[in-house]
Amino acid sequence: EPYDLIYIFAHKQRLLKTLIADSRCRLVDQKIIYSLLTANDHKPFALLLPNDCSIELYQESFVTKDLYDLAYKSGEYSRFKIDPKFTYDDFKKLYGRWIENSVTSFDNNFLFVCKHANQVNAMITMRCEKEIATIGLLAVSNQWRGMNLGSALLNYAGNQALSCGAKRSEVA
């Protein structure tokens, strides 16, 4: 039976190349996980935001159009958008579900938004589990790019990870 998607976990690049060469698979993406270890005495990360911008925990029980748009923007270069086996509708369904789950799942799941004049212009999702904080989605709207909102959100999430006891933060 043919498969639409296969994940191969390999610690050695040579093994991955051999597996792909010996099959009829096509490599679409390689997942790399970036990790930051934090000590108990780690100083808080600095938040450098433009004037009149604020970062806060999103506490509404619904997903706004701005959040859907940012979720799709966060997947702009993801394997689910560049793989020709996934349709654009499949991509939108997947990322739409991802942001919906971030809004409705409160146990150790966080959605932080950056606002200006009460408008959401950037967001980041994070999950704290055991001693690991994992960044999910990160996006900044086009008109706010280049203003350090992404960095500020990463630093804000890093501070929240410290406060929830994470010893390591990861993003893929």
PDB file of all heavy atoms in Angstrom, residues 138-157:
ATOM      1  N   LEU A 138       5.309  30.479  15.032  1.00  0.00           N
ATOM      2  CA  LEU A 138       5.816  31.836  15.241  1.00  0.00           C
ATOM      3  C   LEU A 138       5.596  32.600  13.953  1.00  0.00           C
ATOM      4  O   LEU A 138       5.997  32.132  12.883  1.00  0.00           O
ATOM      5  CB  LEU A 138       7.312  31.813  15.589  1.00  0.00           C
ATOM      6  CG  LEU A 138       8.036  33.165  15.636  1.00  0.00           C
ATOM      7  CD1 LEU A 138       7.465  34.062  16.725  1.00  0.00           C
ATOM      8  CD2 LEU A 138       9.525  32.955  15.832  1.00  0.00           C
ATOM      9  N   ALA A 139       4.931  33.745  14.051  1.00  0.00           N
ATOM     10  CA  ALA A 139       4.683  34.539  12.843  1.00  0.00           C
ATOM     11  C   ALA A 139       4.531  36.014  13.192  1.00  0.00           C
ATOM     12  O   ALA A 139       4.046  36.363  14.271  1.00  0.00           O
ATOM     13  CB  ALA A 139       3.430  34.053  12.126  1.00  0.00           C
ATOM     14  N   VAL A 140       4.937  36.844  12.244  1.00  0.00           N
ATOM     15  CA  VAL A 140       4.787  38.290  12.346  1.00  0.00           C
ATOM     16  C   VAL A 140       4.129  38.753  11.054  1.00  0.00           C
ATOM     17  O   VAL A 140       4.538  38.341   9.961  1.00  0.00           O
ATOM     18  CB  VAL A 140       6.160  38.983  12.529  1.00  0.00           C
ATOM     19  CG1 VAL A 140       6.012  40.499  12.547  1.00  0.00           C
ATOM     20  CG2 VAL A 140       6.859  38.483  13.786  1.00  0.00           C
ATOM     21  N   SER A 141       3.112  39.605  11.160  1.00  0.00           N
ATOM     22  CA  SER A 141       2.441  40.099   9.953  1.00  0.00           C
ATOM     23  C   SER A 141       3.424  40.920   9.119  1.00  0.00           C
ATOM     24  O   SER A 141       4.380  41.499   9.638  1.00  0.00           O
ATOM     25  CB  SER A 141       1.194  40.913  10.309  1.00  0.00           C
ATOM     26  OG  SER A 141       1.555  42.046  11.066  1.00  0.00           O
ATOM     27  N   ASN A 142       3.186  40.961   7.817  1.00  0.00           N
ATOM     28  CA  ASN A 142       4.120  41.594   6.879  1.00  0.00           C
ATOM     29  C   ASN A 142       4.491  43.019   7.262  1.00  0.00           C
ATOM     30  O   ASN A 142       5.658  43.401   7.218  1.00  0.00           O
ATOM     31  CB  ASN A 142       3.555  41.573   5.457  1.00  0.00           C
ATOM     32  CG  ASN A 142       3.576  40.189   4.857  1.00  0.00           C
ATOM     33  OD1 ASN A 142       4.272  39.306   5.337  1.00  0.00           O
ATOM     34  ND2 ASN A 142       2.786  39.992   3.818  1.00  0.00           N
ATOM     35  N   GLN A 143       3.505  43.827   7.640  1.00  0.00           N
ATOM     36  CA  GLN A 143       3.785  45.242   7.903  1.00  0.00           C
ATOM     37  C   GLN A 143       4.582  45.465   9.189  1.00  0.00           C
ATOM     38  O   GLN A 143       5.112  46.536   9.406  1.00  0.00           O
ATOM     39  CB  GLN A 143       2.504  46.082   7.907  1.00  0.00           C
ATOM     40  CG  GLN A 143       1.509  45.715   8.980  1.00  0.00           C
ATOM     41  CD  GLN A 143       0.495  44.684   8.528  1.00  0.00           C
ATOM     42  OE1 GLN A 143       0.776  43.841   7.691  1.00  0.00           O
ATOM     43  NE2 GLN A 143      -0.696  44.737   9.108  1.00  0.00           N
ATOM     44  N   TRP A 144       4.724  44.421  10.025  1.00  0.00           N
ATOM     45  CA  TRP A 144       5.475  44.554  11.274  1.00  0.00           C
ATOM     46  C   TRP A 144       6.810  43.814  11.235  1.00  0.00           C
ATOM     47  O   TRP A 144       7.536  43.783  12.230  1.00  0.00           O
ATOM     48  CB  TRP A 144       4.626  44.065  12.447  1.00  0.00           C
ATOM     49  CG  TRP A 144       3.558  45.046  12.790  1.00  0.00           C
ATOM     50  CD1 TRP A 144       2.298  45.102  12.278  1.00  0.00           C
ATOM     51  CD2 TRP A 144       3.678  46.149  13.679  1.00  0.00           C
ATOM     52  NE1 TRP A 144       1.610  46.162  12.795  1.00  0.00           N
ATOM     53  CE2 TRP A 144       2.450  46.826  13.670  1.00  0.00           C
ATOM     54  CE3 TRP A 144       4.711  46.639  14.477  1.00  0.00           C
ATOM     55  CZ2 TRP A 144       2.218  47.963  14.442  1.00  0.00           C
ATOM     56  CZ3 TRP A 144       4.473  47.771  15.242  1.00  0.00           C
ATOM     57  CH2 TRP A 144       3.240  48.417  15.214  1.00  0.00           C
ATOM     58  N   ARG A 145       7.152  43.243  10.111  1.00  0.00           N
ATOM     59  CA  ARG A 145       8.433  42.528  10.016  1.00  0.00           C
ATOM     60  C   ARG A 145       9.593  43.517  10.065  1.00  0.00           C
ATOM     61  O   ARG A 145       9.471  44.658   9.648  1.00  0.00           O
ATOM     62  CB  ARG A 145       8.491  41.691   8.741  1.00  0.00           C
ATOM     63  CG  ARG A 145       7.577  40.498   8.836  1.00  0.00           C
ATOM     64  CD  ARG A 145       7.799  39.524   7.739  1.00  0.00           C
ATOM     65  NE  ARG A 145       6.971  38.343   7.974  1.00  0.00           N
ATOM     66  CZ  ARG A 145       6.898  37.339   7.145  1.00  0.00           C
ATOM     67  NH1 ARG A 145       7.600  37.335   6.035  1.00  0.00           N
ATOM     68  NH2 ARG A 145       6.129  36.312   7.425  1.00  0.00           N
ATOM     69  N   GLY A 146      10.719  43.056  10.615  1.00  0.00           N
ATOM     70  CA  GLY A 146      11.898  43.898  10.722  1.00  0.00           C
ATOM     71  C   GLY A 146      11.876  44.828  11.919  1.00  0.00           C
ATOM     72  O   GLY A 146      12.724  45.712  12.031  1.00  0.00           O
ATOM     73  N   MET A 147      10.927  44.648  12.825  1.00  0.00           N
ATOM     74  CA  MET A 147      10.812  45.513  14.009  1.00  0.00           C
ATOM     75  C   MET A 147      11.064  44.750  15.308  1.00  0.00           C
ATOM     76  O   MET A 147      10.631  45.169  16.369  1.00  0.00           O
ATOM     77  CB  MET A 147       9.448  46.186  14.031  1.00  0.00           C
ATOM     78  CG  MET A 147       9.219  47.100  12.862  1.00  0.00           C
ATOM     79  SD  MET A 147       7.658  47.946  13.022  1.00  0.00           S
ATOM     80  CE  MET A 147       7.501  48.663  11.426  1.00  0.00           C
ATOM     81  N   ASN A 148      11.707  43.602  15.207  1.00  0.00           N
ATOM     82  CA  ASN A 148      12.097  42.786  16.370  1.00  0.00           C
ATOM     83  C   ASN A 148      10.943  42.119  17.113  1.00  0.00           C
ATOM     84  O   ASN A 148      11.124  41.668  18.240  1.00  0.00           O
ATOM     85  CB  ASN A 148      12.930  43.600  17.367  1.00  0.00           C
ATOM     86  CG  ASN A 148      14.259  43.995  16.793  1.00  0.00           C
ATOM     87  OD1 ASN A 148      14.894  43.206  16.087  1.00  0.00           O
ATOM     88  ND2 ASN A 148      14.681  45.215  17.060  1.00  0.00           N
ATOM     89  N   LEU A 149       9.758  42.044  16.506  1.00  0.00           N
ATOM     90  CA  LEU A 149       8.636  41.399  17.197  1.00  0.00           C
ATOM     91  C   LEU A 149       8.870  39.904  17.373  1.00  0.00           C
ATOM     92  O   LEU A 149       8.550  39.338  18.421  1.00  0.00           O
ATOM     93  CB  LEU A 149       7.320  41.637  16.456  1.00  0.00           C
ATOM     94  CG  LEU A 149       6.845  43.074  16.316  1.00  0.00           C
ATOM     95  CD1 LEU A 149       5.438  43.112  15.745  1.00  0.00           C
ATOM     96  CD2 LEU A 149       6.917  43.814  17.623  1.00  0.00           C
ATOM     97  N   GLY A 150       9.432  39.249  16.363  1.00  0.00           N
ATOM     98  CA  GLY A 150       9.727  37.821  16.474  1.00  0.00           C
ATOM     99  C   GLY A 150      10.720  37.551  17.593  1.00  0.00           C
ATOM    100  O   GLY A 150      10.526  36.646  18.404  1.00  0.00           O
ATOM    101  N   SER A 151      11.771  38.354  17.655  1.00  0.00           N
ATOM    102  CA  SER A 151      12.763  38.201  18.731  1.00  0.00           C
ATOM    103  C   SER A 151      12.136  38.466  20.089  1.00  0.00           C
ATOM    104  O   SER A 151      12.393  37.747  21.061  1.00  0.00           O
ATOM    105  CB  SER A 151      13.929  39.171  18.514  1.00  0.00           C
ATOM    106  OG  SER A 151      14.618  38.849  17.337  1.00  0.00           O
ATOM    107  N   ALA A 152      11.319  39.504  20.174  1.00  0.00           N
ATOM    108  CA  ALA A 152      10.664  39.826  21.444  1.00  0.00           C
ATOM    109  C   ALA A 152       9.739  38.688  21.882  1.00  0.00           C
ATOM    110  O   ALA A 152       9.704  38.329  23.064  1.00  0.00           O
ATOM    111  CB  ALA A 152       9.883  41.133  21.326  1.00  0.00           C
ATOM    112  N   LEU A 153       9.010  38.094  20.930  1.00  0.00           N
ATOM    113  CA  LEU A 153       8.128  36.973  21.269  1.00  0.00           C
ATOM    114  C   LEU A 153       8.927  35.753  21.726  1.00  0.00           C
ATOM    115  O   LEU A 153       8.542  35.075  22.680  1.00  0.00           O
ATOM    116  CB  LEU A 153       7.237  36.607  20.082  1.00  0.00           C
ATOM    117  CG  LEU A 153       6.009  37.473  19.887  1.00  0.00           C
ATOM    118  CD1 LEU A 153       5.389  37.229  18.511  1.00  0.00           C
ATOM    119  CD2 LEU A 153       4.988  37.243  20.980  1.00  0.00           C
ATOM    120  N   LEU A 154      10.035  35.470  21.041  1.00  0.00           N
ATOM    121  CA  LEU A 154      10.892  34.356  21.468  1.00  0.00           C
ATOM    122  C   LEU A 154      11.432  34.599  22.873  1.00  0.00           C
ATOM    123  O   LEU A 154      11.455  33.688  23.709  1.00  0.00           O
ATOM    124  CB  LEU A 154      12.043  34.158  20.481  1.00  0.00           C
ATOM    125  CG  LEU A 154      11.697  33.412  19.204  1.00  0.00           C
ATOM    126  CD1 LEU A 154      12.817  33.544  18.182  1.00  0.00           C
ATOM    127  CD2 LEU A 154      11.395  31.945  19.490  1.00  0.00           C
ATOM    128  N   ASN A 155      11.856  35.827  23.161  1.00  0.00           N
ATOM    129  CA  ASN A 155      12.352  36.149  24.498  1.00  0.00           C
ATOM    130  C   ASN A 155      11.245  36.065  25.542  1.00  0.00           C
ATOM    131  O   ASN A 155      11.455  35.575  26.650  1.00  0.00           O
ATOM    132  CB  ASN A 155      13.004  37.532  24.506  1.00  0.00           C
ATOM    133  CG  ASN A 155      14.331  37.536  23.788  1.00  0.00           C
ATOM    134  OD1 ASN A 155      14.904  36.481  23.505  1.00  0.00           O
ATOM    135  ND2 ASN A 155      14.833  38.713  23.474  1.00  0.00           N
ATOM    136  N   TYR A 156      10.049  36.527  25.182  1.00  0.00           N
ATOM    137  CA  TYR A 156       8.908  36.449  26.102  1.00  0.00           C
ATOM    138  C   TYR A 156       8.587  34.986  26.408  1.00  0.00           C
ATOM    139  O   TYR A 156       8.398  34.604  27.568  1.00  0.00           O
ATOM    140  CB  TYR A 156       7.698  37.150  25.481  1.00  0.00           C
ATOM    141  CG  TYR A 156       6.550  37.325  26.440  1.00  0.00           C
ATOM    142  CD1 TYR A 156       6.476  38.450  27.254  1.00  0.00           C
ATOM    143  CD2 TYR A 156       5.537  36.372  26.529  1.00  0.00           C
ATOM    144  CE1 TYR A 156       5.419  38.619  28.133  1.00  0.00           C
ATOM    145  CE2 TYR A 156       4.484  36.535  27.405  1.00  0.00           C
ATOM    146  CZ  TYR A 156       4.431  37.663  28.208  1.00  0.00           C
ATOM    147  OH  TYR A 156       3.382  37.821  29.081  1.00  0.00           O
ATOM    148  N   ALA A 157       8.546  34.166  25.364  1.00  0.00           N
ATOM    149  CA  ALA A 157       8.283  32.736  25.559  1.00  0.00           C
ATOM    150  C   ALA A 157       9.397  32.111  26.399  1.00  0.00           C
ATOM    151  O   ALA A 157       9.134  31.259  27.258  1.00  0.00           O
ATOM    152  CB  ALA A 157       8.169  32.026  24.205  1.00  0.00           C
TER     153      ALA A 157
END
